[in-house]
Structures are given as C-alpha cells and as structure tokens.
Amino acid sequence: MTTASPAPPASSPASWLNNQPYLLLSLSSLFWAGNIVLARHVGAHVPPLTVTTIRWFGVFLILLPFAWPHLKRDWPALRNSLPLMLFLSLVGFAFNNAISYWAMQYTEALNALLIQSAGPLFVALWSLVLFGVRLTGAQFAGIAISLLGVLIIILRGDLSALASISFNRGDIMFASSLVAFGIYSAFIPRRPKIHQLSFLSFTTCCGATMLIPAAIWEAASGRVLQFDGITLATLGYILIFPSTLAYLFFNRGVALIGPNRAAPFFHLVPVFGSAMAILLLGEKLQAFHLIGYALVLAGVVIASRQGSAVK
C-alpha cells in the first residue's frame, strides 16, 4: 500500500497577490484615482507641501518595522546605488507628489484626469530617450485605444468639447508631475535588486527629507496644517492607499512586466475617477461611460500582452 504524498502548502493570499501584476496595477490606479478626487476636494483646506512631507514620513514609519531586516541586508546595494536612489526619491516622491497636490489648488479634477491620461506617453517617451526601449505595435495600439476611451469618458462622449478646454498654471504643474513620474517609471527596472520594502522605505524617507525646506517655507508663508477631522481623514486615506499600497503594488507590477506594458494602466485612473463620481456623487451612468470603459479595458489588454519591446 502506498502513501499519498502530502499536498504542497498553499501559498498565502499576500504571496499570490504579489505575483498578479495586472491586479496590482489596477489597484494602484484605483487608489490614485481616489487621491485625485480627494486632493481636489480638500485642496483649499490642507497645505500641499506640508501634507506631502507628512505623507512620506508617515509611509516610512508605517513600513519601517517590516522593512528593517531587509534594509540591513540590502544596505550595501543601496549605498552602491546611492545617486540613483536619491534621484528616484526626488522625481518619484518629493517633486512628483508635492507639485501634483499643489496643482490641484489651481485646476479642476476634470483637467487633472485628462492630463493624467497622458501618463503612458511620458513613460514611453522616457523609456525611449533614456534607454532606447521602443513601444511594440501592440503597446502603441493599446495606448491609443485606451486614450480614446479616456477622452470619451472625460468629454462625455463629445470629442469636439476638447477644443473648449482651457489650461492654466495648475494644469502645467500637474503635467510636470507626470513628466517626473514617467522618468521614475522608466528607471524602476534599473533599480538595485533589493526587496521592495527596502526600496520604498528608503525612497520615502529621502523624499520626505528633501521636502522639509519646502514645508518650512510654506508654514512661514501662513499655510499651517490644522489637525481637524477633514485633515485627519485625508491623511489616513493618503498614507494607506495611494502611498503605501499603491506604490508597493505599482513597483511590483512594473518589476514583473516592465514599464511600457504597465503604463497603459494609468488610463484606468480616469475610469475609476468617473466611476467614483457615479457611485459616490450620484452622477448618472450613461452610454458614453460604457463605451469609454470598454475602449480603455480593450487598450489595456492589448498593450499589456506579452512581447518584447524593440531596442
């Protein structure tokens, strides 16, 4: 009589999620969509530079107990790549987030979502300029299709309305944050081979430290953070979802499938943003929403198919 071999131990939900790049990138877009909507809602209430500084110090403190063993082990690699790590801290955390929060004081959520839809183009541009990585045909087609879907959603089915949209300094500021995040995304595959908790805790700490002079200047200018209910609720959401979880998920997704295949998931941000407006603000679901959603999802599927970019 033979004895059956014991079944292999089931992987934990966290281990399973860690190897699902499409789900990870979709969740990142969902959390960032909520961040844009929230930033516009509380933009006049919270000082953007101070909030961004607190945001990244808060994320660092949340991660530190879990990241400490990895930081000790990965410190030689971090030290050897210090210029790159400081650069990623600057463009991906300090500048990108501070300028986007600041921009939401001068622009509308509609404009921000429209500009956000150009995110994949910035990623593709920097990947080409910096590392000679070109989009595949499927990636280009997918970005174009999903961008069309985004425009249909934001412009409510009337593409001619694009000509009537005016841009202000807030829009330029928000676009500059996407330029910075495109650089960050292009460099992610070149980061040192370290644990993602080491990477995120190190870069958030450095990014927050870089923002301290800006936060001091803001406070000296009269913009002081008030710890009331709105501020605390805002910080609670920001620290957990668009900061800690979204960056962990995004970095892991890019590491698994590369920046160009991951970039079209930016187009899910305005999709989720419009869905939040329907569910939370009582807006009516219309035919152009469904058409736009279908195009965005089709574009994401096409662009994220397996295939090597051409160098």
Side-chain angles (χ1 to χ4, degrees):
M1 181 176 179
T2 58
T3 303
S5 300
S11 60
S12 67
S15 176
W16 174 84
L17 180 62
N18 197 46
N19 291 290
Q20 307 299 318
Y22 306 130
L23 178 57
L24 291 170
L25 292 166
S26 297
L27 288 172
S28 296
S29 296
L30 173 63
F31 299 152
W32 283 330
N35 193 44
I36 290 177
V37 174
L38 180 63
R40 177 56 185 166
H41 181 66
V42 302
H45 184 78
V46 296
L49 303 179
T50 304
V51 165
T52 308
T53 306
I54 295 174
R55 171 184 183 178
W56 294 129
F57 270 131
V59 172
F60 170 68
L61 293 176
I62 290 172
L63 293 178
L64 186 58
F66 310 98
W68 182 247
H70 305 291
L71 279 169
K72 290 194 294 184
R73 186 193 64 226
D74 293 333
W75 177 246
L78 287 167
R79 185 177 59 237
N80 292 336
S81 301
L82 190 59
L84 174 61
M85 294 298 296
L86 292 176
F87 178 70
L88 291 175
S89 301
L90 174 65
V91 297
F93 295 87
F95 178 82
N96 165 49
N97 287 272
I99 202 71
S100 62
Y101 277 131
W102 200 355
M104 294 309 297
Q105 297 187 356
Y106 304 106
T107 188
E108 299 293 330
L110 174 66
N111 285 31
L113 289 170
L114 179 60
I115 296 168
Q116 178 77 41
S117 67
L121 303 180
F122 288 116
V123 176
L125 174 63
W126 286 116
S127 295
L128 174 62
V129 170
L130 296 172
F131 305 112
V133 178
R134 299 198 298 271
L135 291 170
T136 65
Q139 289 167 353
F140 181 83
I143 289 175
I145 292 171
S146 57
L147 179 59
L148 176 61
V150 167
L151 293 177
I152 288 175
I153 294 169
I154 293 176
L155 301 177
R156 307 181 68 82
D158 181 11
L159 295 181
S160 64
L162 186 63
S164 64
I165 293 180
S166 59
F167 295 96
N168 57 30
R169 63 172 173 170
D171 302 319
I172 296 173
M173 292 164 66
F174 196 86
S176 70
S177 75
L178 284 181
V179 172
F181 199 76
I183 297 174
Y184 170 85
S185 302
F187 270 98
I188 282 294
R190 273 80 183 175
R191 72 178 189 175
K193 304 300 181 183
I194 58 176
H195 195 279
Q196 63 172 337
L197 287 177
S198 299
F199 176 81
L200 191 56
S201 59
F202 184 89
T203 49
T204 52
C205 182
C206 291
T209 302
M210 293 174 182
L211 285 168
I212 289 176
I216 293 174
W217 169 82
E218 186 175 59
S221 301
R223 295 295 309 276
V224 180
L225 190 68
Q226 300 178 12
F227 285 97
D228 53 21
I230 295 177
T231 299
L232 293 176
T234 299
L235 288 174
Y237 176 83
I238 289 174
L239 285 174
I240 296 171
F241 294 101
S243 304
T244 305
L245 294 180
Y247 272 81
L248 282 172
F249 292 175
F250 179 79
N251 290 342
R252 177 60 177 167
V254 172
L256 289 172
I257 66 174
N260 278 343
R261 289 175 64 201
F265 283 83
F266 280 119
H267 285 156
L268 293 178
V269 173
V271 170
F272 286 133
S274 65
M276 287 177 184
I278 293 169
L279 294 174
L280 302 178
L281 303 180
E283 293 191 7
K284 184 180 178 182
L285 180 66
Q286 300 186 50
F288 67 81
H289 288 116
L290 299 178
I291 295 171
Y293 295 160
L295 287 171
V296 170
L297 293 176
V300 168
V301 170
I302 291 171
S304 60
R305 288 188 307 175
Q306 180 66 45
S308 299
V310 180
K311 281 195 166 187

